[in-house]
Amino acid sequence: MLQAVGLHWVRMLDTCLLYVMLGLGMNIVVGYAGLLDLGYVAFYAVGAYAGGLLGSTHLTDHLGALGAMFPGGLHAPWWLTLPLSAALAGLGGMLLGAPTLKLRGDYLAMVTLGFGEIVRLLMVNLTDPVNLTGGARGLGPIDAIRLAGLDLGRPLSIGPWEIASVTLHGYLLLALAGLTVLVSHRLQRSRIGRAWMAIREDELAAAAMGLRLRDLKLAAFAIGASFGGVTGWVFGSLQVFISPEAFSLQESILIVAIVVLGGPGQVRGVVLAAVLLSGLPELLRYLVVPLQALSDGRLDAGVMRPLFISLAMVGTMLWRPQGLWPAIRESATARNGPG
């Protein structure tokens, strides 16, 4: 059990699984449908705040009428907060997709980038006249997830063994990540998945074949965003506290980097890239001391993560433009050459 090595490694595994889910959600929009979305972290934030508001006393503390109805706080169960977080994030994806259906390339990237920043700024500034988000100070404490009477926020004792809260969340994340992989794989092989890929390859030809581009693009935005909403819901419970700083532009760039590094449209490649980009920078912290000595203290842990991501992106574009783990058909083409 990884817990025996140290809780730090368990938390690192939890972080990797979170990014696996985020990467697979982004892969639906970018990899399957070919729609560049630089504001994906906004849906992650929507899911986290939806779960946090329903799983804490924040709303009842700041809304008098609601506080009178629920004097002890809302403390909604997981079977209500989970689908609601996914639904609100999916609705946000449709609201983003509807006015951008005719945009492509750089124009779509700029609009989605602005959308992500707007959502983050709303989380910071929705404090007047009613404090809905907690502002820059954040929101918490958030209730832990309770499944079949098991409180994931408390250690579980089984005889002489004790399973820590972070390990219990790890099991939940592992199950959700596995389900996300399964759903992504099934979507890829479904009729809607093939239609998304037709749009990605040639939108004009897809329209000529009778595909309903508007509905398919909105579905890609909504389904991909709902994955982010579910991930945000788990993130809020794991952290017990959320703040706007956790949903910055850098997070969106990292999620895009995961899809590019793994190979757009490739489920297994995205999983591998998510583990590498989220896990290896943490491992590199143990190399900081000798690196600082070599650089006279100019290189520290704070620059290692963006440096590693940048090098991975540049290296992928130069030597593996199809991704770290491309499809077998693509690998055979690259190996044997055209024809």
Side-chain angles (χ1 to χ4, degrees):
M1 183 182 288
L2 193 59
Q3 179 178 313
V5 182
L7 292 181
H8 168 73
W9 298 101
V10 181
R11 183 167 289 276
M12 190 171 69
L13 175 62
D14 292 351
T15 302
C16 292
L17 292 172
L18 284 171
Y19 281 107
V20 166
M21 295 171 65
L22 289 172
L24 290 173
M26 173 71 90
N27 191 45
I28 291 177
V29 183
V30 177
Y32 291 174
L35 304 171
L36 184 55
D37 185 359
L38 294 182
Y40 187 78
V41 74
F43 312 124
Y44 183 34
V46 169
Y49 272 89
L53 289 172
L54 292 174
S56 68
T57 62
H58 184 84
L59 287 179
T60 54
D61 290 341
H62 294 89
L63 296 175
L66 194 63
M69 296 173 59
F70 301 94
L74 292 177
H75 304 295
W78 70 269
W79 49 263
L80 176 61
T81 57
L82 172 59
L84 191 57
S85 297
L88 288 176
L91 179 61
M94 295 183 68
L95 291 176
L96 171 62
T100 62
L101 292 177
K102 295 185 179 180
L103 299 178
R104 302 179 186 176
D106 297 339
Y107 300 101
L108 179 60
M110 293 301 295
V111 171
T112 55
L113 174 64
F115 176 79
E117 283 298 291
I118 287 171
V119 171
R120 186 184 66 82
L121 292 174
L122 282 175
M123 301 307 177
V124 174
N125 294 291
L126 279 179
T127 58
D128 186 62
V130 179
N131 187 351
L132 294 178
T133 62
R137 292 181 298 178
L139 188 154
I142 300 173
D143 293 345
I145 298 171
R146 292 179 175 84
L147 296 172
L150 176 62
D151 188 349
L152 300 188
R154 297 180 178 180
L156 175 64
S157 297
I158 303 178
W161 298 281
E162 182 176 273
I163 304 176
S165 172
V166 67
T167 306
L168 294 175
H169 278 92
Y171 290 133
L172 174 62
L173 281 167
L174 188 62
L176 289 175
L179 180 61
T180 305
V181 169
L182 178 61
V183 172
S184 297
H185 183 71
R186 297 297 297 173
L187 279 173
Q188 185 181 29
R189 296 178 175 271
S190 66
R191 292 181 61 184
I192 189 173
R194 293 194 294 270
W196 282 335
M197 294 175 193
I199 295 174
R200 180 192 66 192
E201 297 300 328
D202 193 326
E203 188 171 319
L204 190 60
M209 289 188 296
L211 296 180
R212 303 180 64 176
L213 302 187
R214 176 185 176 85
D215 295 344
L216 288 168
K217 288 183 178 181
L218 286 178
F221 273 113
I223 296 174
S226 65
F227 281 31
V230 173
T231 310
W233 170 76
V234 184
F235 173 76
S237 172
L238 176 63
Q239 296 294 112
V240 189
F241 171 85
I242 52 175
S243 66
E245 286 74 17
F247 312 105
S248 63
L249 174 61
Q250 184 178 355
E251 291 299 307
S252 275
I253 294 174
L254 175 59
I255 300 169
V256 173
I258 287 171
V259 176
V260 173
L261 180 63
Q266 305 304 324
V267 174
R268 58 188 181 182
V270 170
V271 172
L272 175 61
V275 173
L276 290 177
L277 288 184
S278 59
L280 283 184
E282 296 297 325
L283 295 176
L284 290 175
R285 294 180 186 272
Y286 295 94
L287 302 177
V288 168
V289 175
L291 287 174
Q292 283 181 328
L294 292 174
S295 62
D296 296 328
R298 289 188 294 270
L299 189 63
D300 59 15
V303 302
M304 291 302 297
R305 189 183 191 194
L307 177 62
F308 177 77
I309 294 172
S310 302
L311 291 176
M313 291 284 286
V314 173
T316 301
M317 292 297 98
L318 290 176
W319 295 293
R320 299 285 292 184
Q322 73 273 30
L324 289 178
W325 198 343
I328 296 176
R329 177 180 60 83
E330 294 178 356
S331 298
T333 303
R335 182 172 58 251
N336 299 326

